[in-house]
């Protein structure tokens, strides 16, 4: 994942909050004061985004430092728990506090949800994938959080891979011509195609699709799809799959399950920052 993309997101997020300056902190807090800030997780979950929090502070204080008390990607089971400590200038810590916490809370929420799905399919060999249903402008961070929770990134963007969906099929005149056109234009790229029923699955297999996205199929149809495919293509299940149903889907024999809710319906993890005067 490109670090310059993440740095750009962090810079824009901080600029949005800081504006012309933190007038409250500038009025109340002495300019040269140094502090220690404890990053405290107040609910059980997977911690992710502490590096982004530090990056926010360092945009205002390049000399700020952070000590990790809990490794990134670790599951906090007994909150409240101090997961990191930041040392830096008070103006920088307070100016970056809200932006940094927003990032940590969102990323930790995504990582926590991802971990729950990954654990639900443990032992099946099925991969949990994300989608492009991310918050506009935050895709790099959302997808990093998915990997932090043990999931795998599907596509970062439209230029990453060929995925022929229903609207492509409608315009191209069918699955076969769509795959043929994609193969002609990109002979070295893997081709994935979305199908809605077993008839479309059979057509996609005949046309030589490398991966087939089985959209909104119940476990019975998924098992039949796996039986018909016989390993000739990689199979990905998607569409309305929840924590209550993901295990049953995984046990049908598909190779991967994509979950849009990992990033489009985020429940932020409760994380706070507790600031104390620095003792040298």
């Amino acid at each position: 994942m490109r670090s310059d993309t993440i740095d750009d997101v962090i810079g824009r997020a901080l600029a949005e909050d800081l504006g012309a300056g933190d007038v409250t902190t500038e009025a109340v807090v002495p300019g040269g004061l140094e502090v220690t800030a404890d990053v405290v997780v107040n609910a059980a979950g997977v911690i992710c985004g502490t590096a982004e929090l530090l990056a926010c502070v360092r945009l205002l204080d390049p000399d700020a430092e952070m000590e990790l008390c809990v490794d990134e990607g670790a599951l906090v089971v007994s909150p409240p728990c101090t997961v990191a400590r930041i040392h830096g200038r008070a103006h920088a810590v307070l100016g970056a506090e809200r932006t940094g916490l927003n990032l940590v809370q969102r990323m930790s929420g995504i990582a926590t949800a991802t971990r729950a799905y990954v654990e639900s399919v443990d032992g099946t060999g099925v991969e949990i994938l994300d989608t492009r249903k991310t918050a506009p402008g935050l895709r790099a961070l959302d997808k990093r959080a998915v990997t932090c929770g043990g999931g795998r990134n599907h596509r970062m963007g439209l230029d990453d891979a060929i995925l022929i969906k229903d609207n492509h099929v409608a315009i191209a005149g069918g699955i076969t011509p769509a795959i043929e056109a994609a193969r002609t234009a990109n002979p070295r790229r893997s081709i994935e195609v979305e199908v809605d029923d077993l008839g479309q699955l059979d057509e996609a297999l005949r046309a030589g699709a490398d991966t087939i996205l089985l959209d909104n199929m119940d476990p019975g149809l998924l098992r039949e799809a796996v039986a018909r495919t016989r390993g000739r293509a990689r199979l990905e299940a998607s569409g309305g799959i929840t924590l209550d149903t993901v295990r049953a889907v995984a046990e049908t024999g598909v190779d991967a399950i994509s979950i849009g809710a990992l990033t489009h319906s985020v429940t932020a993890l409760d994380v706070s920052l507790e600031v104390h005067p620095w003792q040298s």
Side-chain angles (χ1 to χ4, degrees), residues 1 128-130 143-144 146-147 151-156:
M1 194 166 296
I128 296 297
L129 309 178
D130 58 20
K143 284 184 170 281
R144 192 180 88 72
V146 167
T147 62
R152 189 170 75 81
N153 296 152
H154 195 291
R155 291 191 296 171
M156 284 299 296

Side-chain angles (χ1 to χ4, degrees), residues 1 127-134 139 143 146-147 151-165 190-193 211-213 234-238 256-259 262:
M1 194 166 296
E127 290 184 318
I128 296 297
L129 309 178
D130 58 20
T131 70
R132 287 167 40 244
K133 297 175 182 178
T134 54
R139 181 167 295 168
K143 284 184 170 281
V146 167
T147 62
R152 189 170 75 81
N153 296 152
H154 195 291
R155 291 191 296 171
M156 284 299 296
L158 294 172
D159 59 346
D160 261 10
I162 294 175
L163 173 49
I164 300 169
K165 305 197 79 174
S190 175
I191 294 177
E192 180 172 5
V193 61
T211 300
I212 300 175
L213 174 61
R234 176 177 166 85
L235 296 180
E236 173 190 340
S238 185
I257 300 172
S258 52
I259 311 287
L262 297 180

Side-chain angles (χ1 to χ4, degrees), residues 108-134:
S108 296
I110 292 170
T112 299
T114 303
R115 181 68 56 82
Y117 277 93
V118 169
E119 290 180 347
S120 292
V121 302
D122 184 49
T124 65
V126 170
E127 290 184 318
I128 296 297
L129 309 178
D130 58 20
T131 70
R132 287 167 40 244
K133 297 175 182 178
T134 54

Side-chain angles (χ1 to χ4, degrees), residues 39-246:
V39 183
V40 181
V41 173
N42 300 300
V46 177
I47 186 65
C48 181
T50 51
E52 285 73 17
L53 172 56
L54 177 62
C56 283
V57 177
R58 280 184 169 168
L59 285 175
L60 304 178
D61 177 7
D63 296 324
E65 298 178 351
M66 181 173 69
E67 171 196 357
L68 280 179
C69 306
V70 174
D71 289 338
E72 182 102 324
L75 175 65
V76 172
V77 295
S78 300
C81 175
T82 297
V83 297
R85 287 190 175 91
I86 295 175
H87 170 62
R89 290 189 290 108
H91 278 209
V93 172
L94 295 175
E97 176 182 4
R98 184 69 270 153
T99 300
L101 285 178
N102 286 348
L103 296 175
V104 171
Q105 289 178 319
R106 179 178 178 85
M107 294 176 73
S108 296
I110 292 170
T112 299
T114 303
R115 181 68 56 82
Y117 277 93
V118 169
E119 290 180 347
S120 292
V121 302
D122 184 49
T124 65
V126 170
E127 290 184 318
I128 296 297
L129 309 178
D130 58 20
T131 70
R132 287 167 40 244
K133 297 175 182 178
T134 54
L138 296 183
R139 181 167 295 168
L141 298 179
D142 283 2
K143 284 184 170 281
R144 192 180 88 72
V146 167
T147 62
C148 194
R152 189 170 75 81
N153 296 152
H154 195 291
R155 291 191 296 171
M156 284 299 296
L158 294 172
D159 59 346
D160 261 10
I162 294 175
L163 173 49
I164 300 169
K165 305 197 79 174
D166 52 359
N167 286 331
H168 299 111
V169 170
I171 293 170
I175 287 175
T176 299
I179 292 177
E180 289 175 348
R183 186 79 71 194
T184 299
N186 298 271
R188 293 182 177 83
R189 282 188 181 270
S190 175
I191 294 177
E192 180 172 5
V193 61
E194 177 186 74
V195 304
D196 300 323
D197 55 46
L198 296 177
Q200 289 185 333
L201 168 70
D202 291 339
E203 184 179 358
L205 289 170
R206 289 192 300 269
D210 300 293
T211 300
I212 300 175
L213 174 61
L214 307 168
D215 189 41
N216 283 296
M217 292 188 182
D218 63 35
L221 280 176
L222 291 172
R223 281 191 290 271
E224 176 61 24
V226 171
R228 290 192 184 197
T229 301
R230 300 190 306 277
R232 289 177 288 166
R234 176 177 166 85
L235 296 180
E236 173 190 340
S238 185
I241 299 166
T242 68
L243 274 175
D244 292 332
T245 62
V246 69

